[in-house]
Amino acid sequence: MNRRRADTVVGVFLGFVLSVGGALGWRAYRRRRAFEQSMGSMMDSSMGTMHGPDPLWYAVGTLLVVGGIGGVYLVVRGDLTDSEATDSAERIDPDPTSTETTASMGGENSRSKSLDPESDPRARVLDLLPDDERRVLEPVLNSPGITQIELRDRSDFSKSKVSQTVSSLEKRGLLYRERQGRTYRVYPSEDLQQQ
């Protein structure tokens, strides 16, 4: 499960817990007020506790439960999603020091080449794109002719998200697609393919 989806699921669950706790607290508050109004001053305040828990306990209990669940999730969150983040980081640049080492060992020519954006336009394009577009374009660059179904699996996006992102990238001339049956095969643009 990717981090965004896990955050959404836990957020919805915590919202549900807060809603239920708030509803129970409100119901207990109304019940207590009704009891106090009907009894008036005939009974002392100790008798009021016999007719249900104090609404404050619902509020405190709800906050403790939400805090506990949220805290456990934050601790476990990195373990659930680190492997996917590491995999995507390795696919983008498996050895970030390789360009620095080559530049320092190769002298002035290789240093100016590594600073020149024209030397590696693919990396330059990927650096400039937002994360969602990068997650769609990178598999296309690595395996031209990939289908949109395979793109959906590799990027972990919905079918409509992949279609919208591919359309956006196609309008900007970064890739093109050819129909194949009920899906499309996606290829990088001529400029990106030549480099």
Side-chain angles (χ1 to χ4, degrees), residues 35 40-49:
F35 177 75
S41 62
M42 291 190 324
M43 301 188 127
D44 62 319
S45 62
S46 64
M47 289 299 287
T49 59

Side-chain angles (χ1 to χ4, degrees), residues 38-187:
S38 68
M39 292 310 219
S41 62
M42 291 190 324
M43 301 188 127
D44 62 319
S45 62
S46 64
M47 289 299 287
T49 59
M50 293 175 48
H51 295 283
D54 192 354
L56 185 60
W57 286 112
Y58 282 111
V60 170
T62 301
L63 291 177
L64 285 175
V65 168
V66 167
I69 292 171
V72 168
Y73 173 68
L74 288 177
V75 169
V76 177
R77 179 179 183 224
D79 295 337
L80 291 175
T81 57
D82 271 352
S83 62
E84 293 174 12
T86 304
D87 290 345
S88 66
E90 286 176 2
R91 280 183 276 146
I92 292 172
D93 189 10
D95 187 13
T97 60
S98 64
T99 55
E100 294 169 12
T101 307
T102 307
S104 64
M105 290 172 46
E108 190 62 37
N109 288 339
S110 63
R111 188 175 300 130
S112 64
K113 194 174 190 181
S114 67
L115 295 177
D116 183 21
E118 297 300 320
S119 66
D120 190 10
R122 282 184 176 189
R124 178 80 173 142
V125 167
L126 289 175
D127 287 343
L128 295 174
L129 291 175
D131 183 52
D132 56 344
E133 292 178 350
R134 185 180 315 121
R135 284 172 52 186
V136 169
L137 185 59
E138 188 176 13
V140 173
L141 292 173
N142 292 337
S143 52
I146 188 172
T147 64
Q148 279 193 207
I149 295 169
E150 292 169 336
L151 268 176
R152 184 180 68 210
D153 294 338
R154 287 193 192 179
S155 64
D156 201 26
F157 287 142
S158 67
K159 183 178 178 181
S160 62
K161 176 69 174 173
V162 169
S163 180
Q164 290 172 351
T165 306
V166 167
S167 295
S168 172
L169 291 169
E170 188 176 27
K171 285 178 187 174
R172 288 188 280 172
L174 295 173
L175 52 81
Y176 66 96
R177 54 185 166 175
E178 295 176 354
R179 190 139 189 73
Q180 182 185 23
R182 297 181 68 180
T183 188
Y184 287 95
R185 288 214 172 266
V186 185
Y187 300 92

